[in-house]
Amino acid sequence: MRIHTRYLLLFSILLLTKCKIKKHDAFSGIDYSVNKYDKNICCCKYISEENASFWKKDSLGLNGFRRTITPLIQNECTLKSKPWNELKDFFGKPMTKIDNLRINNKEACIYVFVINRYSLNSIDNYKRVVFYIMVDKSNNTIIETTIRYSDG
């Protein structure tokens, strides 16, 4: 009986630590592995429920999660033409929303998220890194994303 318990325990640990499933993103054609217990929200392995909680905890851009994951999202995820409604739960409340814009002859808005804040030895040199998500208001899809540096 002790041997069966030991194997059951080892099997359980193996199952919980190595439980990856293969996913196929039909849009990009990429296969990737994800933790079985981490549910993808949309279109990219980085946009998951687990990462959403970390993203929201770093709302001021101080603990480094957003600084680490935003370039991965920007470079490896294809967010263009994705419905904003599918992604807004991941990103949460933006720092600000710039409304009533025209981008590529489309009525649009920009959601601005703080990625990182840092100071270069004085308040005059205070810098901030932000992530812009531009959304077409007519069909509520993402037009473009970009990482920008701004003062103050």
Side-chain angles (χ1 to χ4, degrees):
M1 188 73 169
R2 287 176 53 188
I3 293 174
H4 293 294
T5 307
R6 202 174 286 164
Y7 282 116
L8 183 60
L9 179 62
L10 286 172
F11 177 74
S12 299
I13 291 170
L14 180 66
L15 182 66
L16 291 174
T17 59
K18 299 290 185 188
C19 199
K20 300 269 186 191
I21 56 173
K22 290 276 187 190
K23 285 258 191 165
H24 179 75
D25 185 354
F27 186 76
S28 67
I30 297 172
D31 291 322
Y32 55 90
S33 296
V34 294
N35 189 325
K36 183 176 181 179
Y37 301 106
D38 188 15
K39 184 179 177 213
N40 278 15
I41 293 172
C42 171
C43 59
C44 178
K45 64 184 174 183
Y46 300 111
I47 300 177
S48 65
E49 288 179 0
E50 185 177 11
N51 285 345
S53 67
F54 291 123
W55 178 273
K56 290 171 186 165
K57 287 176 187 174
D58 193 19
S59 63
L60 298 177
L62 297 175
N63 75 19
F65 181 77
R66 288 186 179 192
R67 182 180 59 231
T68 303
I69 200 165
T70 304
L72 296 172
I73 291 172
Q74 175 71 21
N75 296 327
E76 296 184 30
C77 300
T78 306
L79 299 183
K80 188 174 182 177
S81 302
K82 297 292 183 198
W84 172 243
N85 289 337
E86 288 182 17
L87 295 163
K88 68 181 176 182
D89 287 339
F90 175 83
F91 290 107
K93 184 179 177 187
M95 177 188 74
T96 190
K97 178 182 176 184
I98 304 169
D99 225 340
N100 301 322
L101 299 171
R102 295 214 51 91
I103 300 172
N104 300 332
N105 287 326
K106 298 176 182 179
E107 189 176 342
C109 65
I110 299 175
Y111 295 98
V112 182
F113 297 91
V114 174
I115 301 307
N116 192 21
R117 297 174 189 237
Y118 57 94
S119 176
L120 301 173
N121 302 325
S122 75
I123 196 68
D124 295 332
N125 290 326
Y126 182 77
K127 300 285 184 188
R128 156 172 65 201
V129 182
V130 292
F131 186 50
Y132 284 1
I133 300 177
M134 293 156 243
V135 177
D136 181 347
K137 290 177 90 175
S138 65
N139 60 11
N140 210 27
T141 59
I142 295 174
I143 300 170
E144 185 181 346
T145 61
T146 187
I147 298 171
R148 302 253 170 126
Y149 297 85
S150 69
D151 295 329

